[in-house]
Amino acid sequence: MKPHVTLAMFIAAWLMPMQVMAANEQEQAHVHAKEQAVKPQSDTKKNEEHEEHEEHNEHEGHDENDEHEHNETLSSRISDDMATAVNIVTDRADSQRLRQHQVVYGKLSADPNRISHVNARFPGILTSVKFSLGDSVKAGDVLAVVESNESLNTYTIKAPIDGVIIQRSANVGEVAQQQTLFSIADFGGLWADFRLYPSQQDAVATGQKVVIMAADTEINGVIAHIIPSLTQPYQLARVKLDNRDGKLSSGQLIEGAVISGEFNVELAVKKSAIQILDNKSGVFVKNNSEYVFSPLQLGRSDMDYVEVIAGLKPGQLYVTTNSYLLKADIEKSEAEHDH
């Protein structure tokens, strides 16, 4: 990392040589005027040729300096304590198994086999209602009590399954006949319904693995079946999900990656590690407290990793998290140097 230069120091360092050069140029111009008054024209021509030669040499030297600066290693020096404080994380470059995929989108829906609609067995008056909309119930819980119209005896209506009451049409004093009094849904199992458009349908089939992203949660599943649509320009690929922990919700939007192929590569890095400097893609390699930008030749990729063909060796430590901080530090240092 280049030393920090304050604006005042920068201005002072820049003005001082300029002032000295200006004084020298004035003195040289005064002497030169006197010499020109007494020297013949031939001497003047020699001086002009000498000045042109000096300008040419100066131009060549400038090009060499520019080339040296352009080839300068792009690196940033940060102590381990500071790297830990700003959460700069590294990992070792290694072989990986990449999975080619087809990205699909959809949403979660309740399992129709886990929804139960509850009716009264005999017509009668509702004398008691125990649960409200949104309440969780267990199989066997008494939902309501009905007084039969025929026998005037009372009987209970019980929950047939575990779940949540998603619909209720029962109030005390109302007549229970053939209408649905309660609807109960068990959300312990859901379906992921993905839309497959014509351009995707040839690459997706039942039995393929799917990696599902739902609210920052990654879930692995398998396509159970594909349903054609009569009215929509897409098919539905359905994946059954276990939701006994209750982290997912029906209607939730999701993204999926249908795995179409898997293969091993000798070396790969995380996509999150890739940065672009000097129009080159690469990663920051850690060498003690120095982080050096290493341009890479990249190959195939999947959702998380990209194959490295050249530019990195197995076992080297490279930055996987917050590598943009190193890039910003280098760009800031270059900007200060240029000015």
Side-chain angles (χ1 to χ4, degrees):
M1 184 183 297
K2 297 180 176 60
H4 180 68
V5 179
T6 64
L7 183 60
M9 293 170 61
F10 177 82
I11 294 175
W14 181 69
L15 288 179
M16 185 177 295
M18 295 292 290
Q19 293 171 348
V20 172
M21 289 173 61
N24 290 339
E25 288 175 357
Q26 289 180 354
E27 182 178 354
Q28 290 176 3
H30 182 68
V31 173
H32 182 69
K34 289 183 177 181
E35 291 176 349
Q36 291 298 318
V38 296
K39 284 186 177 181
Q41 183 65 27
S42 59
D43 289 341
T44 301
K45 184 175 182 181
K46 289 180 180 180
N47 289 337
E48 291 175 352
E49 292 175 352
H50 179 69
E51 289 174 358
E52 290 177 358
H53 180 69
E54 287 181 343
E55 290 177 358
H56 179 70
N57 289 340
E58 181 181 356
H59 180 70
E60 289 183 346
H62 182 68
D63 290 343
E64 291 176 358
N65 290 335
D66 285 348
E67 183 177 357
H68 173 72
E69 290 177 359
H70 180 72
N71 292 331
E72 184 181 0
T73 300
L74 298 174
S75 65
S76 179
R77 190 175 296 275
I78 300 177
S79 68
D80 290 342
D81 290 342
M82 178 60 71
T84 300
V86 298
N87 195 32
I88 291 178
V89 181
T90 60
D91 195 2
R92 292 193 181 277
D94 202 352
S95 61
Q96 290 292 337
R97 185 167 183 81
L98 302 186
R99 299 183 293 182
Q100 291 180 329
H101 61 280
Q102 184 80 221
V103 177
V104 290
Y105 299 93
K107 66 178 181 179
L108 300 180
S109 62
D111 186 346
N113 295 326
R114 291 173 177 260
I115 299 177
S116 181
H117 303 288
V118 182
N119 301 342
R121 287 177 297 165
F122 309 106
I125 302 298
L126 288 163
T127 61
S128 175
V129 177
K130 304 293 185 180
F131 293 95
S132 299
L133 187 69
D135 287 345
S136 296
V137 295
K138 297 289 186 181
D141 286 347
V142 175
L143 302 177
V145 178
V146 179
E147 182 183 277
S148 173
N149 289 341
E150 294 182 1
S151 65
L152 299 182
N153 293 328
T154 61
Y155 66 91
T156 58
I157 299 175
K158 297 181 180 180
I161 62 172
D162 295 351
V164 177
I165 296 177
I166 59 173
Q167 180 182 348
R168 176 187 132 167
S169 300
N171 292 304
V172 174
E174 293 181 342
V175 177
Q177 295 183 349
Q178 299 300 316
Q179 79 272 27
T180 297
L181 299 177
F182 300 92
S183 291
I184 303 171
D186 177 7
F187 294 107
L190 297 175
W191 284 95
D193 297 325
F194 293 104
R195 298 183 299 274
L196 299 179
Y197 291 95
S199 61
Q200 301 172 305
Q201 291 169 9
D202 290 341
V204 180
T206 58
Q208 286 181 313
K209 298 177 182 178
V210 185
V211 180
I212 301 169
M213 292 301 300
D216 297 329
T217 301
E218 186 174 300
I219 307 166
N220 293 312
V222 176
I223 295 178
H225 45 256
I226 296 176
I227 303 175
S229 175
L230 298 177
T231 60
Q232 301 296 334
Y234 53 76
Q235 297 177 344
L236 284 181
R238 308 199 76 207
V239 180
K240 195 171 185 178
L241 302 178
D242 186 342
N243 188 43
R244 284 175 292 182
D245 58 8
K247 292 183 178 180
L248 304 174
S249 301
S250 178
Q252 185 175 342
L253 299 179
I254 52 175
E255 177 182 337
V258 181
I259 307 303
S260 56
E262 298 184 76
F263 50 89
N264 295 321
V265 295
E266 294 183 0
L267 190 62
V269 295
K270 291 184 178 180
K271 283 185 173 180
S272 60
I274 301 295
Q275 293 293 340
I276 298 177
L277 277 174
D278 283 355
N279 297 319
K280 297 178 182 178
S281 297
V283 296
F284 285 95
V285 177
K286 186 179 189 301
N287 184 13
N288 295 323
S289 62
E290 186 176 19
Y291 298 83
V292 181
F293 181 74
S294 177
L296 302 179
Q297 182 180 349
L298 302 174
R300 297 165 293 179
S301 65
D302 66 4
M303 292 175 291
D304 301 313
Y305 287 89
V306 57
E307 179 185 16
V308 176
I309 298 174
L312 195 65
K313 296 179 180 179
Q316 284 187 290
L317 283 175
Y318 70 100
V319 178
T320 59
T321 303
N322 288 339
S323 58
Y324 73 92
L325 295 175
L326 301 170
K327 175 183 176 180
D329 181 63
I330 290 174
E331 290 178 338
K332 177 177 180 293
S333 180
E334 287 184 336
E336 291 177 348
H337 180 73
D338 291 341
H339 288 80

